[in-house]
Amino acid sequence: PPSPSPPAPMPPPTHNRCATCIKPESLKKPHYECFIKNDASDYRGRISSTARGKTCSDWTEAHAYLAANEAREATAWEAQQTAQRGVVEAKGQRWKPARPRKPNALFDPSDPGLMAAGLGAHNSCRSPPGSSGAMGWCAWCYIQPQLQPQPQPHGANTHATEAPPGLAWESACCDVGLPSLECRDPSPPPPPAPP
């Protein structure tokens, strides 16, 4: 009997939310940019800019800033609750504590589980576990906020050197292309360290 012809290749899966951030040139990618899962959680490539062309921040640097900011926010929230309780009780009323503050999600690149998910001392796009609230449907990264020049005394540096407390970092999707049906080499080399 004649041998059956091989089945036609299936088109790559699409993702409705990210369809507009995929550029045609990203469909042709080297093997180390390959990933299979629709949420890009297995992406370990080297792309380090967002779909809009902004350079990604180093995961370690972003975590350090965000962890310090989270600690400041938690302390401020506790102080606010204590002050409100004092005011209410001074009026002879019963204190009803507010719902507990929900901490911001932090993606610590030194956490072994997140290291296994590709986080580390680099600025390549990733989709770490637990990031569904952040950008869990695409590979993403943090972007450092744009700092405005700060007025300085005559002759001093006229640019801010670090983000002031409370200035939120953004997170944005990266154009890593669409998932593939299979990858030739699922373990790409580690990304190069940022300059």
Side-chain angles (χ1 to χ4, degrees):
S3 63
S5 60
M10 292 179 59
T14 60
H15 200 292
N16 295 344
R17 290 179 152 178
C18 210
T20 58
C21 66
I22 304 296
K23 299 175 188 141
E25 60 271 14
S26 68
L27 296 175
K28 297 177 183 174
K29 53 190 170 201
H31 71 89
Y32 55 82
E33 293 293 333
C34 187
F35 64 100
I36 297 171
K37 297 180 180 177
N38 280 339
D39 66 356
S41 59
D42 58 336
Y43 175 73
R44 299 294 181 274
R46 296 179 182 161
I47 291 176
S48 59
S49 60
T50 68
R52 294 188 176 175
K54 292 186 177 183
T55 301
C56 295
S57 294
D58 180 277
W59 287 95
T60 306
E61 178 186 320
H63 177 264
Y65 174 82
L66 293 168
N69 199 50
E70 173 61 24
R72 280 189 295 269
E73 286 181 19
T75 301
W77 186 86
E78 290 293 332
Q80 179 187 31
Q81 293 301 302
T82 301
Q84 287 177 353
R85 180 178 184 166
V87 169
V88 168
E89 290 177 347
K91 294 178 181 177
Q93 298 173 347
R94 185 170 172 240
W95 168 249
K96 296 178 190 172
R99 281 190 294 187
R101 178 183 170 277
K102 182 180 178 186
N104 296 316
L106 296 176
F107 300 98
D108 183 354
S110 65
D111 177 291
L114 294 177
M115 287 174 73
L119 292 192
H122 60 79
N123 68 337
S124 297
C125 302
R126 295 291 182 262
S127 183
S131 65
S132 60
M135 299 297 258
W137 45 270
C138 65
W140 60 277
C141 67
Y142 286 114
I143 308 161
Q144 189 170 10
Q146 294 296 313
L147 302 177
Q148 299 298 319
Q150 302 295 314
Q152 301 289 325
H154 181 69
N157 185 354
T158 58
H159 296 285
T161 56
E162 63 181 51
L167 186 59
W169 284 35
E170 300 174 46
S171 53
C173 283
C174 302
D175 178 12
V176 296
L178 294 171
S180 300
L181 294 174
E182 62 182 39
C183 295
R184 283 190 327 208
D185 183 2
S187 23

mmCIF file with all atom_site columns, all heavy atoms in Angstrom, residues 17-42:
data_model
loop_
_atom_site.group_PDB
_atom_site.id
_atom_site.type_symbol
_atom_site.label_atom_id
_atom_site.label_alt_id
_atom_site.label_comp_id
_atom_site.label_asym_id
_atom_site.label_entity_id
_atom_site.label_seq_id
_atom_site.pdbx_PDB_ins_code
_atom_site.Cartn_x
_atom_site.Cartn_y
_atom_site.Cartn_z
_atom_site.occupancy
_atom_site.B_iso_or_equiv
_atom_site.pdbx_formal_charge
_atom_site.auth_seq_id
_atom_site.auth_comp_id
_atom_site.auth_asym_id
_atom_site.auth_atom_id
_atom_site.pdbx_PDB_model_num
ATOM 1   N N   . ARG A 1 17 ? -4.792 38.084 23.579 1.00 0.00 ? 17 ARG A N   1
ATOM 2   C CA  . ARG A 1 17 ? -4.370 39.309 24.229 1.00 0.00 ? 17 ARG A CA  1
ATOM 3   C C   . ARG A 1 17 ? -3.113 39.899 23.612 1.00 0.00 ? 17 ARG A C   1
ATOM 4   O O   . ARG A 1 17 ? -2.902 41.090 23.681 1.00 0.00 ? 17 ARG A O   1
ATOM 5   C CB  . ARG A 1 17 ? -4.107 39.059 25.703 1.00 0.00 ? 17 ARG A CB  1
ATOM 6   C CG  . ARG A 1 17 ? -5.336 38.804 26.496 1.00 0.00 ? 17 ARG A CG  1
ATOM 7   C CD  . ARG A 1 17 ? -4.937 38.547 27.913 1.00 0.00 ? 17 ARG A CD  1
ATOM 8   N NE  . ARG A 1 17 ? -6.002 38.924 28.806 1.00 0.00 ? 17 ARG A NE  1
ATOM 9   C CZ  . ARG A 1 17 ? -5.939 38.770 30.103 1.00 0.00 ? 17 ARG A CZ  1
ATOM 10  N NH1 . ARG A 1 17 ? -4.872 38.258 30.645 1.00 0.00 ? 17 ARG A NH1 1
ATOM 11  N NH2 . ARG A 1 17 ? -6.931 39.124 30.864 1.00 0.00 ? 17 ARG A NH2 1
ATOM 12  N N   . CYS A 1 18 ? -2.247 39.069 23.085 1.00 0.00 ? 18 CYS A N   1
ATOM 13  C CA  . CYS A 1 18 ? -0.963 39.580 22.623 1.00 0.00 ? 18 CYS A CA  1
ATOM 14  C C   . CYS A 1 18 ? -0.886 39.652 21.103 1.00 0.00 ? 18 CYS A C   1
ATOM 15  O O   . CYS A 1 18 ? 0.164  39.929 20.565 1.00 0.00 ? 18 CYS A O   1
ATOM 16  C CB  . CYS A 1 18 ? 0.164  38.715 23.181 1.00 0.00 ? 18 CYS A CB  1
ATOM 17  S SG  . CYS A 1 18 ? 1.679  39.634 23.435 1.00 0.00 ? 18 CYS A SG  1
ATOM 18  N N   . ALA A 1 19 ? -1.976 39.418 20.423 1.00 0.00 ? 19 ALA A N   1
ATOM 19  C CA  . ALA A 1 19 ? -1.937 39.386 18.966 1.00 0.00 ? 19 ALA A CA  1
ATOM 20  C C   . ALA A 1 19 ? -1.424 40.701 18.379 1.00 0.00 ? 19 ALA A C   1
ATOM 21  O O   . ALA A 1 19 ? -0.743 40.704 17.365 1.00 0.00 ? 19 ALA A O   1
ATOM 22  C CB  . ALA A 1 19 ? -3.320 39.073 18.406 1.00 0.00 ? 19 ALA A CB  1
ATOM 23  N N   . THR A 1 20 ? -1.701 41.812 19.031 1.00 0.00 ? 20 THR A N   1
ATOM 24  C CA  . THR A 1 20 ? -1.282 43.097 18.488 1.00 0.00 ? 20 THR A CA  1
ATOM 25  C C   . THR A 1 20 ? 0.168  43.433 18.799 1.00 0.00 ? 20 THR A C   1
ATOM 26  O O   . THR A 1 20 ? 0.716  44.367 18.254 1.00 0.00 ? 20 THR A O   1
ATOM 27  C CB  . THR A 1 20 ? -2.162 44.233 19.033 1.00 0.00 ? 20 THR A CB  1
ATOM 28  O OG1 . THR A 1 20 ? -2.061 44.226 20.453 1.00 0.00 ? 20 THR A OG1 1
ATOM 29  C CG2 . THR A 1 20 ? -3.600 44.049 18.600 1.00 0.00 ? 20 THR A CG2 1
ATOM 30  N N   . CYS A 1 21 ? 0.814  42.678 19.724 1.00 0.00 ? 21 CYS A N   1
ATOM 31  C CA  . CYS A 1 21 ? 2.199  43.016 20.054 1.00 0.00 ? 21 CYS A CA  1
ATOM 32  C C   . CYS A 1 21 ? 3.189  42.084 19.354 1.00 0.00 ? 21 CYS A C   1
ATOM 33  O O   . CYS A 1 21 ? 4.360  42.109 19.653 1.00 0.00 ? 21 CYS A O   1
ATOM 34  C CB  . CYS A 1 21 ? 2.420  43.020 21.566 1.00 0.00 ? 21 CYS A CB  1
ATOM 35  S SG  . CYS A 1 21 ? 2.251  41.431 22.355 1.00 0.00 ? 21 CYS A SG  1
ATOM 36  N N   . ILE A 1 22 ? 2.730  41.262 18.442 1.00 0.00 ? 22 ILE A N   1
ATOM 37  C CA  . ILE A 1 22 ? 3.611  40.355 17.700 1.00 0.00 ? 22 ILE A CA  1
ATOM 38  C C   . ILE A 1 22 ? 3.952  40.994 16.361 1.00 0.00 ? 22 ILE A C   1
ATOM 39  O O   . ILE A 1 22 ? 3.074  41.348 15.593 1.00 0.00 ? 22 ILE A O   1
ATOM 40  C CB  . ILE A 1 22 ? 2.935  38.983 17.459 1.00 0.00 ? 22 ILE A CB  1
ATOM 41  C CG1 . ILE A 1 22 ? 2.499  38.360 18.777 1.00 0.00 ? 22 ILE A CG1 1
ATOM 42  C CG2 . ILE A 1 22 ? 3.836  38.065 16.665 1.00 0.00 ? 22 ILE A CG2 1
ATOM 43  C CD1 . ILE A 1 22 ? 3.625  38.027 19.714 1.00 0.00 ? 22 ILE A CD1 1
ATOM 44  N N   . LYS A 1 23 ? 5.226  41.128 16.099 1.00 0.00 ? 23 LYS A N   1
ATOM 45  C CA  . LYS A 1 23 ? 5.666  41.679 14.827 1.00 0.00 ? 23 LYS A CA  1
ATOM 46  C C   . LYS A 1 23 ? 6.003  40.518 13.897 1.00 0.00 ? 23 LYS A C   1
ATOM 47  O O   . LYS A 1 23 ? 6.516  39.496 14.350 1.00 0.00 ? 23 LYS A O   1
ATOM 48  C CB  . LYS A 1 23 ? 6.895  42.554 15.047 1.00 0.00 ? 23 LYS A CB  1
ATOM 49  C CG  . LYS A 1 23 ? 6.620  43.724 15.962 1.00 0.00 ? 23 LYS A CG  1
ATOM 50  C CD  . LYS A 1 23 ? 7.890  44.493 16.241 1.00 0.00 ? 23 LYS A CD  1
ATOM 51  C CE  . LYS A 1 23 ? 7.614  45.529 17.314 1.00 0.00 ? 23 LYS A CE  1
ATOM 52  N NZ  . LYS A 1 23 ? 8.706  45.670 18.242 1.00 0.00 ? 23 LYS A NZ  1
ATOM 53  N N   . PRO A 1 24 ? 5.749  40.637 12.590 1.00 0.00 ? 24 PRO A N   1
ATOM 54  C CA  . PRO A 1 24 ? 6.013  39.521 11.674 1.00 0.00 ? 24 PRO A CA  1
ATOM 55  C C   . PRO A 1 24 ? 7.446  38.991 11.739 1.00 0.00 ? 24 PRO A C   1
ATOM 56  O O   . PRO A 1 24 ? 7.664  37.800 11.670 1.00 0.00 ? 24 PRO A O   1
ATOM 57  C CB  . PRO A 1 24 ? 5.710  40.100 10.290 1.00 0.00 ? 24 PRO A CB  1
ATOM 58  C CG  . PRO A 1 24 ? 4.803  41.242 10.545 1.00 0.00 ? 24 PRO A CG  1
ATOM 59  C CD  . PRO A 1 24 ? 5.159  41.776 11.910 1.00 0.00 ? 24 PRO A CD  1
ATOM 60  N N   . GLU A 1 25 ? 8.430  39.875 11.959 1.00 0.00 ? 25 GLU A N   1
ATOM 61  C CA  . GLU A 1 25 ? 9.819  39.404 11.993 1.00 0.00 ? 25 GLU A CA  1
ATOM 62  C C   . GLU A 1 25 ? 10.094 38.521 13.206 1.00 0.00 ? 25 GLU A C   1
ATOM 63  O O   . GLU A 1 25 ? 11.028 37.742 13.212 1.00 0.00 ? 25 GLU A O   1
ATOM 64  C CB  . GLU A 1 25 ? 10.813 40.564 11.935 1.00 0.00 ? 25 GLU A CB  1
ATOM 65  C CG  . GLU A 1 25 ? 10.704 41.556 13.073 1.00 0.00 ? 25 GLU A CG  1
ATOM 66  C CD  . GLU A 1 25 ? 9.723  42.692 12.819 1.00 0.00 ? 25 GLU A CD  1
ATOM 67  O OE1 . GLU A 1 25 ? 8.907  42.612 11.890 1.00 0.00 ? 25 GLU A OE1 1
ATOM 68  O OE2 . GLU A 1 25 ? 9.781  43.670 13.570 1.00 0.00 ? 25 GLU A OE2 1
ATOM 69  N N   . SER A 1 26 ? 9.251  38.613 14.251 1.00 0.00 ? 26 SER A N   1
ATOM 70  C CA  . SER A 1 26 ? 9.492  37.785 15.434 1.00 0.00 ? 26 SER A CA  1
ATOM 71  C C   . SER A 1 26 ? 9.027  36.350 15.224 1.00 0.00 ? 26 SER A C   1
ATOM 72  O O   . SER A 1 26 ? 9.302  35.490 16.046 1.00 0.00 ? 26 SER A O   1
ATOM 73  C CB  . SER A 1 26 ? 8.802  38.389 16.656 1.00 0.00 ? 26 SER A CB  1
ATOM 74  O OG  . SER A 1 26 ? 7.404  38.297 16.516 1.00 0.00 ? 26 SER A OG  1
ATOM 75  N N   . LEU A 1 27 ? 8.328  36.071 14.130 1.00 0.00 ? 27 LEU A N   1
ATOM 76  C CA  . LEU A 1 27 ? 7.896  34.701 13.866 1.00 0.00 ? 27 LEU A CA  1
ATOM 77  C C   . LEU A 1 27 ? 9.072  33.840 13.400 1.00 0.00 ? 27 LEU A C   1
ATOM 78  O O   . LEU A 1 27 ? 9.022  32.625 13.487 1.00 0.00 ? 27 LEU A O   1
ATOM 79  C CB  . LEU A 1 27 ? 6.772  34.688 12.837 1.00 0.00 ? 27 LEU A CB  1
ATOM 80  C CG  . LEU A 1 27 ? 5.486  35.386 13.291 1.00 0.00 ? 27 LEU A CG  1
ATOM 81  C CD1 . LEU A 1 27 ? 4.481  35.415 12.164 1.00 0.00 ? 27 LEU A CD1 1
ATOM 82  C CD2 . LEU A 1 27 ? 4.917  34.726 14.523 1.00 0.00 ? 27 LEU A CD2 1
ATOM 83  N N   . LYS A 1 28 ? 10.120 34.457 12.886 1.00 0.00 ? 28 LYS A N   1
ATOM 84  C CA  . LYS A 1 28 ? 11.327 33.732 12.481 1.00 0.00 ? 28 LYS A CA  1
ATOM 85  C C   . LYS A 1 28 ? 12.371 33.983 13.547 1.00 0.00 ? 28 LYS A C   1
ATOM 86  O O   . LYS A 1 28 ? 12.943 35.058 13.620 1.00 0.00 ? 28 LYS A O   1
ATOM 87  C CB  . LYS A 1 28 ? 11.817 34.240 11.117 1.00 0.00 ? 28 LYS A CB  1
ATOM 88  C CG  . LYS A 1 28 ? 10.827 34.005 10.009 1.00 0.00 ? 28 LYS A CG  1
ATOM 89  C CD  . LYS A 1 28 ? 11.328 34.585 8.714  1.00 0.00 ? 28 LYS A CD  1
ATOM 90  C CE  . LYS A 1 28 ? 10.282 34.394 7.633  1.00 0.00 ? 28 LYS A CE  1
ATOM 91  N NZ  . LYS A 1 28 ? 10.637 35.050 6.393  1.00 0.00 ? 28 LYS A NZ  1
ATOM 92  N N   . LYS A 1 29 ? 12.592 33.008 14.412 1.00 0.00 ? 29 LYS A N   1
ATOM 93  C CA  . LYS A 1 29 ? 13.485 33.234 15.530 1.00 0.00 ? 29 LYS A CA  1
ATOM 94  C C   . LYS A 1 29 ? 14.489 32.107 15.662 1.00 0.00 ? 29 LYS A C   1
ATOM 95  O O   . LYS A 1 29 ? 14.208 30.975 15.284 1.00 0.00 ? 29 LYS A O   1
ATOM 96  C CB  . LYS A 1 29 ? 12.685 33.401 16.815 1.00 0.00 ? 29 LYS A CB  1
ATOM 97  C CG  . LYS A 1 29 ? 11.710 32.290 17.089 1.00 0.00 ? 29 LYS A CG  1
ATOM 98  C CD  . LYS A 1 29 ? 10.779 32.645 18.240 1.00 0.00 ? 29 LYS A CD  1
ATOM 99  C CE  . LYS A 1 29 ? 9.667  31.628 18.325 1.00 0.00 ? 29 LYS A CE  1
ATOM 100 N NZ  . LYS A 1 29 ? 8.529  32.091 19.017 1.00 0.00 ? 29 LYS A NZ  1
ATOM 101 N N   . PRO A 1 30 ? 15.668 32.393 16.233 1.00 0.00 ? 30 PRO A N   1
ATOM 102 C CA  . PRO A 1 30 ? 16.654 31.336 16.444 1.00 0.00 ? 30 PRO A CA  1
ATOM 103 C C   . PRO A 1 30 ? 16.164 30.370 17.525 1.00 0.00 ? 30 PRO A C   1
ATOM 104 O O   . PRO A 1 30 ? 15.275 30.690 18.309 1.00 0.00 ? 30 PRO A O   1
ATOM 105 C CB  . PRO A 1 30 ? 17.897 32.093 16.905 1.00 0.00 ? 30 PRO A CB  1
ATOM 106 C CG  . PRO A 1 30 ? 17.420 33.435 17.321 1.00 0.00 ? 30 PRO A CG  1
ATOM 107 C CD  . PRO A 1 30 ? 16.129 33.695 16.622 1.00 0.00 ? 30 PRO A CD  1
ATOM 108 N N   . HIS A 1 31 ? 16.759 29.189 17.580 1.00 0.00 ? 31 HIS A N   1
ATOM 109 C CA  . HIS A 1 31 ? 16.294 28.139 18.485 1.00 0.00 ? 31 HIS A CA  1
ATOM 110 C C   . HIS A 1 31 ? 16.284 28.572 19.938 1.00 0.00 ? 31 HIS A C   1
ATOM 111 O O   . HIS A 1 31 ? 15.437 28.171 20.705 1.00 0.00 ? 31 HIS A O   1
ATOM 112 C CB  . HIS A 1 31 ? 17.122 26.861 18.307 1.00 0.00 ? 31 HIS A CB  1
ATOM 113 C CG  . HIS A 1 31 ? 18.513 26.979 18.827 1.00 0.00 ? 31 HIS A CG  1
ATOM 114 N ND1 . HIS A 1 31 ? 18.835 26.682 20.115 1.00 0.00 ? 31 HIS A ND1 1
ATOM 115 C CD2 . HIS A 1 31 ? 19.660 27.389 18.232 1.00 0.00 ? 31 HIS A CD2 1
ATOM 116 C CE1 . HIS A 1 31 ? 20.124 26.889 20.306 1.00 0.00 ? 31 HIS A CE1 1
ATOM 117 N NE2 . HIS A 1 31 ? 20.646 27.314 19.174 1.00 0.00 ? 31 HIS A NE2 1
ATOM 118 N N   . TYR A 1 32 ? 17.228 29.418 20.363 1.00 0.00 ? 32 TYR A N   1
ATOM 119 C CA  . TYR A 1 32 ? 17.257 29.800 21.781 1.00 0.00 ? 32 TYR A CA  1
ATOM 120 C C   . TYR A 1 32 ? 16.137 30.773 22.144 1.00 0.00 ? 32 TYR A C   1
ATOM 121 O O   . TYR A 1 32 ? 15.941 31.084 23.312 1.00 0.00 ? 32 TYR A O   1
ATOM 122 C CB  . TYR A 1 32 ? 18.618 30.365 22.193 1.00 0.00 ? 32 TYR A CB  1
ATOM 123 C CG  . TYR A 1 32 ? 19.105 31.527 21.361 1.00 0.00 ? 32 TYR A CG  1
ATOM 124 C CD1 . TYR A 1 32 ? 18.660 32.815 21.616 1.00 0.00 ? 32 TYR A CD1 1
ATOM 125 C CD2 . TYR A 1 32 ? 20.006 31.319 20.329 1.00 0.00 ? 32 TYR A CD2 1
ATOM 126 C CE1 . TYR A 1 32 ? 19.095 33.874 20.851 1.00 0.00 ? 32 TYR A CE1 1
ATOM 127 C CE2 . TYR A 1 32 ? 20.455 32.379 19.560 1.00 0.00 ? 32 TYR A CE2 1
ATOM 128 C CZ  . TYR A 1 32 ? 19.992 33.656 19.829 1.00 0.00 ? 32 TYR A CZ  1
ATOM 129 O OH  . TYR A 1 32 ? 20.433 34.704 19.068 1.00 0.00 ? 32 TYR A OH  1
ATOM 130 N N   . GLU A 1 33 ? 15.398 31.262 21.168 1.00 0.00 ? 33 GLU A N   1
ATOM 131 C CA  . GLU A 1 33 ? 14.243 32.122 21.439 1.00 0.00 ? 33 GLU A CA  1
ATOM 132 C C   . GLU A 1 33 ? 12.942 31.314 21.439 1.00 0.00 ? 33 GLU A C   1
ATOM 133 O O   . GLU A 1 33 ? 11.868 31.864 21.569 1.00 0.00 ? 33 GLU A O   1
ATOM 134 C CB  . GLU A 1 33 ? 14.138 33.238 20.389 1.00 0.00 ? 33 GLU A CB  1
ATOM 135 C CG  . GLU A 1 33 ? 15.255 34.253 20.449 1.00 0.00 ? 33 GLU A CG  1
ATOM 136 C CD  . GLU A 1 33 ? 15.233 35.099 21.716 1.00 0.00 ? 33 GLU A CD  1
ATOM 137 O OE1 . GLU A 1 33 ? 14.162 35.293 22.315 1.00 0.00 ? 33 GLU A OE1 1
ATOM 138 O OE2 . GLU A 1 33 ? 16.312 35.562 22.104 1.00 0.00 ? 33 GLU A OE2 1
ATOM 139 N N   . CYS A 1 34 ? 13.048 30.008 21.319 1.00 0.00 ? 34 CYS A N   1
ATOM 140 C CA  . CYS A 1 34 ? 11.878 29.144 21.199 1.00 0.00 ? 34 CYS A CA  1
ATOM 141 C C   . CYS A 1 34 ? 11.206 28.917 22.550 1.00 0.00 ? 34 CYS A C   1
ATOM 142 O O   . CYS A 1 34 ? 11.867 28.795 23.582 1.00 0.00 ? 34 CYS A O   1
ATOM 143 C CB  . CYS A 1 34 ? 12.309 27.799 20.606 1.00 0.00 ? 34 CYS A CB  1
ATOM 144 S SG  . CYS A 1 34 ? 10.945 26.705 20.224 1.00 0.00 ? 34 CYS A SG  1
ATOM 145 N N   . PHE A 1 35 ? 9.886  28.879 22.550 1.00 0.00 ? 35 PHE A N   1
ATOM 146 C CA  . PHE A 1 35 ? 9.108  28.496 23.719 1.00 0.00 ? 35 PHE A CA  1
ATOM 147 C C   . PHE A 1 35 ? 7.821  27.849 23.225 1.00 0.00 ? 35 PHE A C   1
ATOM 148 O O   . PHE A 1 35 ? 7.434  28.002 22.073 1.00 0.00 ? 35 PHE A O   1
ATOM 149 C CB  . PHE A 1 35 ? 8.820  29.690 24.637 1.00 0.00 ? 35 PHE A CB  1
ATOM 150 C CG  . PHE A 1 35 ? 7.962  30.756 24.021 1.00 0.00 ? 35 PHE A CG  1
ATOM 151 C CD1 . PHE A 1 35 ? 6.608  30.830 24.295 1.00 0.00 ? 35 PHE A CD1 1
ATOM 152 C CD2 . PHE A 1 35 ? 8.507  31.694 23.161 1.00 0.00 ? 35 PHE A CD2 1
ATOM 153 C CE1 . PHE A 1 35 ? 5.813  31.819 23.729 1.00 0.00 ? 35 PHE A CE1 1
ATOM 154 C CE2 . PHE A 1 35 ? 7.731  32.689 22.591 1.00 0.00 ? 35 PHE A CE2 1
ATOM 155 C CZ  . PHE A 1 35 ? 6.374  32.754 22.872 1.00 0.00 ? 35 PHE A CZ  1
ATOM 156 N N   . ILE A 1 36 ? 7.168  27.085 24.094 1.00 0.00 ? 36 ILE A N   1
ATOM 157 C CA  . ILE A 1 36 ? 6.008  26.295 23.688 1.00 0.00 ? 36 ILE A CA  1
ATOM 158 C C   . ILE A 1 36 ? 4.721  26.752 24.371 1.00 0.00 ? 36 ILE A C   1
ATOM 159 O O   . ILE A 1 36 ? 3.656  26.748 23.762 1.00 0.00 ? 36 ILE A O   1
ATOM 160 C CB  . ILE A 1 36 ? 6.267  24.798 23.981 1.00 0.00 ? 36 ILE A CB  1
ATOM 161 C CG1 . ILE A 1 36 ? 7.441  24.313 23.138 1.00 0.00 ? 36 ILE A CG1 1
ATOM 162 C CG2 . ILE A 1 36 ? 5.034  23.955 23.707 1.00 0.00 ? 36 ILE A CG2 1
ATOM 163 C CD1 . ILE A 1 36 ? 7.927  22.917 23.485 1.00 0.00 ? 36 ILE A CD1 1
ATOM 164 N N   . LYS A 1 37 ? 4.795  27.166 25.614 1.00 0.00 ? 37 LYS A N   1
ATOM 165 C CA  . LYS A 1 37 ? 3.588  27.489 26.388 1.00 0.00 ? 37 LYS A CA  1
ATOM 166 C C   . LYS A 1 37 ? 2.990  28.827 25.974 1.00 0.00 ? 37 LYS A C   1
ATOM 167 O O   . LYS A 1 37 ? 3.715  29.793 25.734 1.00 0.00 ? 37 LYS A O   1
ATOM 168 C CB  . LYS A 1 37 ? 3.912  27.487 27.872 1.00 0.00 ? 37 LYS A CB  1
ATOM 169 C CG  . LYS A 1 37 ? 4.345  26.119 28.366 1.00 0.00 ? 37 LYS A CG  1
ATOM 170 C CD  . LYS A 1 37 ? 4.668  26.143 29.832 1.00 0.00 ? 37 LYS A CD  1
ATOM 171 C CE  . LYS A 1 37 ? 5.104  24.765 30.295 1.00 0.00 ? 37 LYS A CE  1
ATOM 172 N NZ  . LYS A 1 37 ? 5.503  24.787 31.706 1.00 0.00 ? 37 LYS A NZ  1
ATOM 173 N N   . ASN A 1 38 ? 1.664  28.891 25.928 1.00 0.00 ? 38 ASN A N   1
ATOM 174 C CA  . ASN A 1 38 ? 0.973  30.112 25.509 1.00 0.00 ? 38 ASN A CA  1
ATOM 175 C C   . ASN A 1 38 ? 1.262  31.313 26.405 1.00 0.00 ? 38 ASN A C   1
ATOM 176 O O   . ASN A 1 38 ? 1.228  32.450 25.944 1.00 0.00 ? 38 ASN A O   1
ATOM 177 C CB  . ASN A 1 38 ? -0.539 29.889 25.444 1.00 0.00 ? 38 ASN A CB  1
ATOM 178 C CG  . ASN A 1 38 ? -0.959 29.189 24.173 1.00 0.00 ? 38 ASN A CG  1
ATOM 179 O OD1 . ASN A 1 38 ? -0.234 29.195 23.188 1.00 0.00 ? 38 ASN A OD1 1
ATOM 180 N ND2 . ASN A 1 38 ? -2.123 28.583 24.197 1.00 0.00 ? 38 ASN A ND2 1
ATOM 181 N N   . ASP A 1 39 ? 1.522  31.068 27.693 1.00 0.00 ? 39 ASP A N   1
ATOM 182 C CA  . ASP A 1 39 ? 1.802  32.185 28.592 1.00 0.00 ? 39 ASP A CA  1
ATOM 183 C C   . ASP A 1 39 ? 3.283  32.563 28.602 1.00 0.00 ? 39 ASP A C   1
ATOM 184 O O   . ASP A 1 39 ? 3.700  33.433 29.359 1.00 0.00 ? 39 ASP A O   1
ATOM 185 C CB  . ASP A 1 39 ? 1.326  31.870 30.010 1.00 0.00 ? 39 ASP A CB  1
ATOM 186 C CG  . ASP A 1 39 ? 2.097  30.725 30.663 1.00 0.00 ? 39 ASP A CG  1
ATOM 187 O OD1 . ASP A 1 39 ? 2.969  30.107 29.997 1.00 0.00 ? 39 ASP A OD1 1
ATOM 188 O OD2 . ASP A 1 39 ? 1.804  30.436 31.838 1.00 0.00 ? 39 ASP A OD2 1
ATOM 189 N N   . ALA A 1 40 ? 4.085  31.925 27.779 1.00 0.00 ? 40 ALA A N   1
ATOM 190 C CA  . ALA A 1 40 ? 5.527  32.181 27.640 1.00 0.00 ? 40 ALA A CA  1
ATOM 191 C C   . ALA A 1 40 ? 6.289  31.882 28.921 1.00 0.00 ? 40 ALA A C   1
ATOM 192 O O   . ALA A 1 40 ? 7.417  32.347 29.098 1.00 0.00 ? 40 ALA A O   1
ATOM 193 C CB  . ALA A 1 40 ? 5.792  33.605 27.162 1.00 0.00 ? 40 ALA A CB  1
ATOM 194 N N   . SER A 1 41 ? 5.739  31.072 29.820 1.00 0.00 ? 41 SER A N   1
ATOM 195 C CA  . SER A 1 41 ? 6.430  30.763 31.074 1.00 0.00 ? 41 SER A CA  1
ATOM 196 C C   . SER A 1 41 ? 7.685  29.922 30.850 1.00 0.00 ? 41 SER A C   1
ATOM 197 O O   . SER A 1 41 ? 8.545  29.859 31.718 1.00 0.00 ? 41 SER A O   1
ATOM 198 C CB  . SER A 1 41 ? 5.489  30.055 32.048 1.00 0.00 ? 41 SER A CB  1
ATOM 199 O OG  . SER A 1 41 ? 4.998  28.861 31.484 1.00 0.00 ? 41 SER A OG  1
ATOM 200 N N   . ASP A 1 42 ? 7.820  29.318 29.680 1.00 0.00 ? 42 ASP A N   1
ATOM 201 C CA  . ASP A 1 42 ? 9.028  28.556 29.372 1.00 0.00 ? 42 ASP A CA  1
ATOM 202 C C   . ASP A 1 42 ? 9.990  29.337 28.462 1.00 0.00 ? 42 ASP A C   1
ATOM 203 O O   . ASP A 1 42 ? 10.976 28.797 27.985 1.00 0.00 ? 42 ASP A O   1
ATOM 204 C CB  . ASP A 1 42 ? 8.675  27.207 28.735 1.00 0.00 ? 42 ASP A CB  1
ATOM 205 C CG  . ASP A 1 42 ? 7.852  27.335 27.466 1.00 0.00 ? 42 ASP A CG  1
ATOM 206 O OD1 . ASP A 1 42 ? 7.158  28.365 27.277 1.00 0.00 ? 42 ASP A OD1 1
ATOM 207 O OD2 . ASP A 1 42 ? 7.877  26.395 26.658 1.00 0.00 ? 42 ASP A OD2 1
#
